[in-house]
């Protein structure tokens, strides 16, 4: 009874016993053995998958996650099979999720005020504040509140399940956030900015933005309560907007940007909202599906993905 | 009408269209060649072909035809003969090119509907970049381009049309076979090896020519775009939006720097994969054993 860890090409990297002395029973033990005796790659960089032939015939998922036993993936001494194969991939250098989040939100938090001061005050912060239209000041405050809130949540509220991601994501995410921040700030903080004509629209935007930011915070707080510190536990969220949709935090985020755009009325901000909403819809779809897969009939059938009653 | 029939008809129609464009190009090049080589007192017998001026003229046409625009400038292709030829070519093929290149938007629809295996985002990028070059840098400024030497149009047209004729021939055969066999046969059982070879080899030469011609066209159009304020939106307006098309073009040009080596190496990889599969297939055919052949693995046809 043994477990053969191979490259996708079929080259064997390490053979581990499943019985007797030194037998491996969990995914973490396999990863540690690979780090020690195999290709000497840190366990966080390792991705272990079942061969596609094994996943086709059964309902088990292909990726061997840390913190699980091998028999959850059908690798068991009790079955008749004597030889198991697992594919190994080096994911490359990793960075922590928390680090990526802090870096990507830092850009917008810093760039918006810089562009505000540079374009409206010619480098003088107080002059910029005085020269700006009140709606531009409101936009600066709203933007800063949003990203300061995101930073604080990253540091003190979120409990991440996947500890790391490939470092390329850091570059990609930062380019997205920093680029859009500069693009939106350029127009919102432009000296020739045209404020929205209707006060009602502006104030409706303010209300929508504030309520959504609060709702988003409540959602994040409730998600935190679902996971005891230091674990990777997943539970069905209940209460508040979670009764209507699987991902109300995304719904709130999109509505908050809708409010921001009602306050400021720029094409750039609208583009930022549309691209963000599209990305969040993809994530919401995935999360909804994994809830359904994990909890099956226990998951409330009434719940939609992101848009109450509709989607 | 089933999807397979539609795809076959579409590919056949585009093969026809691009062949038409390619033939038009051939006719124009042939006319220019004849004008240049045989306009003198020398007859068109075989002996005169070997005479020095004829060889010179031939190499002139061939070099001018196949070299990318910057190289042409370096080699001094700027005389009135050449300019007249390029202007003439622009007049006779631009409309056709616009029609058949714009129709390829349907390919994006096919990809979005999942009728073909190509990824929608890659297809969108390819089609949009071509339409952008064609409509906004060539068609928009056709009259002023016709008056300049080395407009890059010849290089662009020959690279695009030669690639597309072979590509659509490949897809026509493929979609016909998949329609007729009901999807039972794989790519390399349907398409003859030589066609696969052409499809995955011509880009080695044509891709650098085509890309350099595209870049050249955008660069040439930049001052014209600035002069005419083409597609320019200025602040202030109530949507708080501004757009500078020449800036957009400059940024798009920067995209070629990482894009070019990435796409070229991607195509080299595809070439190895497809040609290996095709040669394995033809070896099997040659062996022609009475034992049933194992079907070759299905390849992505993009």
């Amino acid at each position: 009874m043994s477990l053969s860890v191979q490259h996708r090409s079929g080259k064997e990297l390490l053979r581990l016993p499943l019985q007797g002395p030194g037998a491996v029973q969990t995914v973490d033990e396999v990863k540690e053995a690979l780090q020690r005796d195999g290709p000497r790659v840190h366990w966080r960089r390792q991705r272990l998958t079942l061969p596609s032939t094994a996943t086709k015939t059964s309902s088990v998922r292909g990726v061997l996650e840390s913190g699980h036993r091998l028999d959850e993936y059908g690798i068991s001494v009790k079955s008749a099979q004597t030889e198991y194969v697992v594919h190994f991939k080096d994911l490359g250098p990793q960075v922590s999720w928390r680090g990526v989040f802090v870096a990507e939100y830092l850009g917008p938090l810093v760039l918006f005020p810089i562009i505000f001061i540079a374009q409206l005050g010619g480098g003088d912060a107080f002059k910029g504040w005085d020269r700006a239209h009140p709606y531009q000041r409101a936009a600066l405050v709203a933007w800063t509140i949003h990203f300061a809130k995101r930073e604080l949540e990253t540091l003190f509220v979120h409990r991440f399940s996947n500890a790391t991601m490939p470092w390329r994501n850091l570059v990609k995410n930062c380019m997205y956030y920093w680029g859009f921040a500069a693009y939106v700030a350029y127009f919102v903080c432009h000296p020739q900015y045209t404020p929205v004509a209707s006060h009602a629209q502006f104030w409706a935007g303010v209300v929508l933005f504030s309520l959504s930011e609060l709702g988003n915070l409540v959602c994040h707080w409730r998600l935190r309560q679902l996971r005891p510190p230091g674990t990777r536990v997943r539970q069905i969220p209940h209460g508040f907007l979670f009764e209507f949709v699987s991902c109300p935090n995304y719904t709130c985020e999109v509505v908050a940007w809708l409010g921001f755009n009602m306050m400021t009325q720029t094409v750039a901000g609208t583009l930022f909202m549309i691209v963000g909403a599209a990305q969040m819809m993809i994530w919401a779809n995935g999360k909804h599906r994994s809830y359904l897969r994990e909890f099956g009939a226990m998951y409330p059938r009434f719940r939609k993905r992101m848009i109450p009653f509709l989607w | 009408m089933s999807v397979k029939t539609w795809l076959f008809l579409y590919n056949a129609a585009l093969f026809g269209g691009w062949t038409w464009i390619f033939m038009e190009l051939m006719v124009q090049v042939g006319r220019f060649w004849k004008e240049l080589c045989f306009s003198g007192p020398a007859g068109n017998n075989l002996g005169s072909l070997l005479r020095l001026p004829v060889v010179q003229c031939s190499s002139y046409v061939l070099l001018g035809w196949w070299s990318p625009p910057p190289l042409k400038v370096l080699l001094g292709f700027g005389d009135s003969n050449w300019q007249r030829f390029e202007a003439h070519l622009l007049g006779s093929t631009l409309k056709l090119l616009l029609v058949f290149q714009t129709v390829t938007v349907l390919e994006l629809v096919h990809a979005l509907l999942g009728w073909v295996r190509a990824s929608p985002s890659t297809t969108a990028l390819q089609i949009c970049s071509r339409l952008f070059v064609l409509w906004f840098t060539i068609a928009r400024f056709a009259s002023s381009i016709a008056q300049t030497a080395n407009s890059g149009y010849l290089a662009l047209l020959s690279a695009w049309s030669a690639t597309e004729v072979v590509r659509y021939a490949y897809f026509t055969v493929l979609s016909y076979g998949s329609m007729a066999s009901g999807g039972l046969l794989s790519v390399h059982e349907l398409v003859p090896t030589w066609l696969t070879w052409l499809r995955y080899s011509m880009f080695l030469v044509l891709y650098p020519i085509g890309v350099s011609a595209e870049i050249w066209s955008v660069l040439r159009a930049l001052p014209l775009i600035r002069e005419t304020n083409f597609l320019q939106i200025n602040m202030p307006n109530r949507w708080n939006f501004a757009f500078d098309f020449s800036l957009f073009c400059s940024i798009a040009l920067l995209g070629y720097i990482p894009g070019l080596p990435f796409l070229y190496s991607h195509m080299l990889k595809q070439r190895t994969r497809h040609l290996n599969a095709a040669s394995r297939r033809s070896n099997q055919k040659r062996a022609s054993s009475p034992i049933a052949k194992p079907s070759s693995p299905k390849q992505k046809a993009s």
Side-chain angles (χ1 to χ4, degrees):
Chain A
M1 295 289 277
S2 62
L3 176 70
S4 169
V5 184
Q6 303 180 346
H7 260 300
R8 282 178 72 92
S9 60
K11 189 185 142 210
E12 187 173 274
L13 298 163
L14 194 64
R15 182 171 282 271
L16 295 163
L18 289 168
Q19 260 179 334
V24 286
Q25 285 169 342
T26 65
V27 175
D28 290 302
E29 282 171 5
V30 176
K31 289 191 171 177
E32 274 165 34
L34 278 165
Q35 186 180 340
R36 200 176 52 240
D37 310 320
R40 299 190 171 276
V41 169
H42 192 274
W43 64 271
R44 282 198 192 280
R45 288 175 57 157
Q46 297 177 14
R47 180 184 163 90
L48 297 175
T49 49
L50 294 173
S52 52
T53 47
T55 47
K56 248 176 218 165
T57 49
S58 68
S59 59
V60 288
R61 290 182 68 188
V63 183
L64 277 67
E65 304 274 7
S66 287
H68 288 266
R69 290 193 317 279
L70 287 174
D71 56 18
E72 292 172 46
Y73 300 96
I75 301 172
S76 156
V77 284
K78 285 177 200 126
S79 81
Q81 201 174 335
T82 56
E83 159 95 18
Y84 291 94
V85 174
V86 164
H87 283 156
F88 163 85
K89 191 183 177 195
D90 181 0
L91 292 172
Q94 300 286 301
V95 281
S96 77
W97 276 61
R98 185 161 277 138
V100 172
F101 274 44
V102 167
E104 70 188 25
Y105 298 137
L106 195 62
L109 191 60
V110 172
L111 283 175
F112 202 96
I114 288 181
I115 292 170
F116 183 94
I117 293 165
Q119 287 199 140
L120 292 168
D124 186 333
F126 292 106
K127 217 194 259 174
W129 183 264
D130 289 340
R131 270 193 208 163
H133 187 275
Y135 290 180
Q136 283 176 305
R137 291 179 208 155
L140 174 67
V141 171
W143 183 277
T144 309
I145 285 175
H146 176 84
F147 284 99
K149 170 178 159 294
R150 298 294 294 126
E151 287 284 23
L152 292 172
E153 282 173 342
T154 305
L155 293 172
F156 304 114
V157 179
H158 294 327
R159 282 178 180 153
F160 294 97
S161 62
N162 241 348
T164 63
M165 60 167 102
W167 73 273
R168 272 171 190 282
N169 286 20
L170 176 69
V171 179
K172 220 166 51 183
N173 290 18
C174 284
M175 270 168 62
Y176 170 76
Y177 271 104
W178 296 39
F180 255 121
Y183 188 54
V184 174
Y186 175 81
F187 291 109
V188 173
C189 309
H190 201 278
Q192 287 176 301
Y193 172 80
T194 311
V196 292
S198 127
H199 289 285
Q201 182 189 328
F202 173 78
W203 285 108
V206 172
V207 170
L208 213 54
F209 179 82
S210 316
L211 288 180
S212 310
E213 290 291 322
L214 270 177
N216 185 269
L217 182 63
V218 174
C219 293
H220 285 149
W221 194 257
R222 277 183 180 260
L223 286 173
R224 174 194 172 85
Q225 307 294 311
L226 291 178
R227 178 173 290 162
T231 67
R232 302 165 58 103
V233 172
R234 274 196 288 265
Q235 297 179 50
I236 302 177
H238 279 291
F240 193 49
L241 299 169
F242 285 104
E243 296 303 331
F244 296 95
V245 285
S246 296
C247 303
N249 47 331
Y250 295 158
T251 315
C252 288
E253 172 105 20
V254 175
V255 176
W257 286 116
L258 181 69
F260 181 84
N261 284 318
M262 283 169 71
M263 288 160 62
T264 53
Q265 195 161 304
T266 61
V267 169
T270 311
L271 277 177
F272 183 48
M273 179 182 73
I274 291 170
V275 176
Q279 181 60 62
M280 282 185 262
M281 279 166 85
I282 295 169
W283 287 335
N285 195 28
K287 282 202 177 181
H288 187 74
R289 264 202 209 161
S290 64
Y291 276 137
L292 287 176
R293 187 171 350 139
E294 193 162 347
F295 302 111
M298 276 160 61
Y299 199 71
R301 301 213 59 169
F302 172 72
R303 269 185 217 186
K304 300 293 178 188
R305 297 169 183 83
M306 218 175 114
I307 307 167
F309 311 112
L310 294 174
W311 185 81
Chain B
M1 188 164 58
S2 73
V3 171
K4 284 189 170 120
T5 318
W6 162 253
L7 287 178
F8 166 67
L9 290 176
Y10 170 81
N11 287 319
L14 269 112
F15 172 65
W18 282 99
T19 308
W20 185 3
I21 295 171
F22 190 68
M23 293 316 284
E24 194 72 46
L25 169 71
M26 285 300 172
V27 168
Q28 298 295 342
V29 170
R31 198 171 287 163
F32 179 60
W33 190 329
K34 205 173 142 200
E35 217 175 84
L36 215 66
C37 299
F38 306 110
S39 56
N44 54 358
N45 56 39
L46 196 66
S48 70
L49 265 177
L50 299 170
R51 254 184 268 141
L52 201 59
V54 174
V55 175
Q56 269 179 348
C57 291
S58 310
S59 54
Y60 178 84
V61 172
L62 284 175
L63 261 177
W65 190 17
W66 287 111
S67 58
L71 190 64
K72 251 188 285 197
V73 172
L74 207 71
L75 295 171
F77 283 86
D79 64 350
S80 57
N81 251 347
W82 194 264
Q83 189 182 327
R84 197 152 38 82
F85 167 54
E86 285 203 320
H88 202 72
L89 196 68
L90 189 79
S92 69
T93 56
L94 183 60
K95 272 189 191 129
L96 282 175
L97 194 60
L98 283 172
V99 168
F100 286 104
Q101 187 61 60
T102 309
V103 168
T104 58
V105 170
L106 281 174
E107 256 154 72
L108 182 57
V109 179
H110 296 165
L112 283 172
L113 292 173
W115 290 359
V116 293
R117 280 205 243 169
S119 100
S121 51
T122 319
T123 312
L125 194 69
Q126 282 167 345
I127 291 170
C128 289
S129 68
R130 275 205 182 181
L131 288 178
F132 153 72
V133 169
L134 193 56
W135 281 100
F136 293 151
T137 71
I138 295 173
R140 173 66 179 73
F141 303 109
S143 53
S144 53
I145 282 176
Q147 289 161 16
T148 45
N150 290 314
S151 61
Y153 185 73
L154 175 66
L156 193 86
L157 183 73
S158 36
W160 283 10
S161 60
T163 311
E164 296 301 77
V165 165
V166 171
R167 202 165 75 91
Y168 283 110
Y170 181 91
F171 281 129
T172 307
V173 173
L174 191 65
S175 54
Y176 176 75
S178 124
M179 180 181 69
S181 75
L184 286 173
L185 296 174
S186 68
V187 177
H188 299 291
E189 286 168 305
L190 293 170
V191 185
T193 316
W194 62 267
L195 190 55
T196 310
W197 189 86
L198 273 182
R199 158 124 168 73
Y200 289 104
S201 302
M202 285 185 10
F203 79 88
L204 291 171
V205 183
L206 293 181
Y207 190 68
I209 292 177
V211 167
S212 63
E214 282 172 35
I215 295 174
W216 189 257
S217 304
V218 178
L219 281 177
R220 287 194 34 73
L222 274 181
L224 298 169
I225 290 168
R226 271 192 223 111
E227 255 169 54
T228 53
N229 288 340
F230 179 46
L231 292 182
Q232 188 166 327
I233 300 169
N234 289 324
M235 292 272 263
N237 52 59
R238 59 183 292 242
W239 294 103
N240 291 303
F241 186 57
F243 187 69
D244 185 349
F245 190 56
S246 67
L247 183 68
F248 176 83
C249 289
S250 314
I251 294 170
L253 281 179
L254 287 179
Y256 276 104
I257 295 169
L260 194 119
F262 172 77
L263 271 177
Y264 203 73
S265 62
H266 169 74
M267 282 148 90
L268 279 175
K269 251 180 257 159
Q270 278 214 325
R271 173 183 150 84
T272 325
R273 206 157 57 98
H274 282 260
L275 294 191
N276 281 348
S279 73
R280 230 181 294 129
R281 167 79 202 149
S282 68
N283 286 343
Q284 277 173 11
K285 225 187 258 172
R286 225 168 284 144
S288 68
S289 63
I291 308 153
K293 284 168 262 171
S295 62
S296 56
K298 212 159 194 171
Q299 301 285 343
K300 195 175 176 186
S302 63

